[in-house]
Amino acid sequence: MHQPGLTVYGHPRCPQVIPVRQFLDRAAVPYTYINIRDDAAARSRVMALNAGNKTVPTLVFADGTILREPHVWQVHAQLGAAGVHVPSFVAFSIQHSLMIVLVAFLLMGMVAGKVLGSAVLGSVVGLIVGLLVNARRIRRAGS
């Protein structure tokens, strides 16, 4: 069986891990995901790679390149340097989906606030609803 040349160290409660994994999944890039919460040896390896810190996501490529807490575009660029073509729209859609959801809920809350007579109250309601929706996404992605 072919072993993927990319290892992603993460933690299910880290919100930065989710877009990286979604990007790799949508781009059909094979990788091994290791949860450092459940694997003490992996946690030690991540700490050794990151000057004693449990920095996640930490991506280790086959050529030894390490990306720490990378932006989706950094992963996209590194894959391109390794000869793996991933369409840019995949990275764009992952990177901006969370922002779009938060802004949409914020705007919905503001509209609700106008109806209720308080834009501040509506904004807070929209932000809370957006955070709850994204907390649910984080829990689902971490499992």
Side-chain angles (χ1 to χ4, degrees), residues 36-104:
I36 68 166
R37 182 181 68 181
D38 298 335
D39 188 332
R43 188 170 41 253
S44 296
R45 171 135 168 82
V46 166
M47 291 174 71
L49 292 171
N50 296 300
N53 297 312
K54 295 181 222 171
T55 304
V56 291
T58 296
L59 282 69
V60 180
F61 290 82
D63 66 358
T65 302
I66 299 170
L67 295 179
R68 295 163 180 90
E69 296 180 332
H71 189 278
V72 170
W73 287 106
Q74 290 173 297
V75 179
H76 183 266
Q78 182 58 41
L79 288 171
V84 178
H85 174 70
V86 178
S88 295
F89 71 84
V90 175
F92 180 83
S93 67
I94 295 294
Q95 185 58 41
H96 295 288
S97 63
L98 181 62
M99 263 190 294
I100 291 168
V101 168
L102 284 174
V103 168

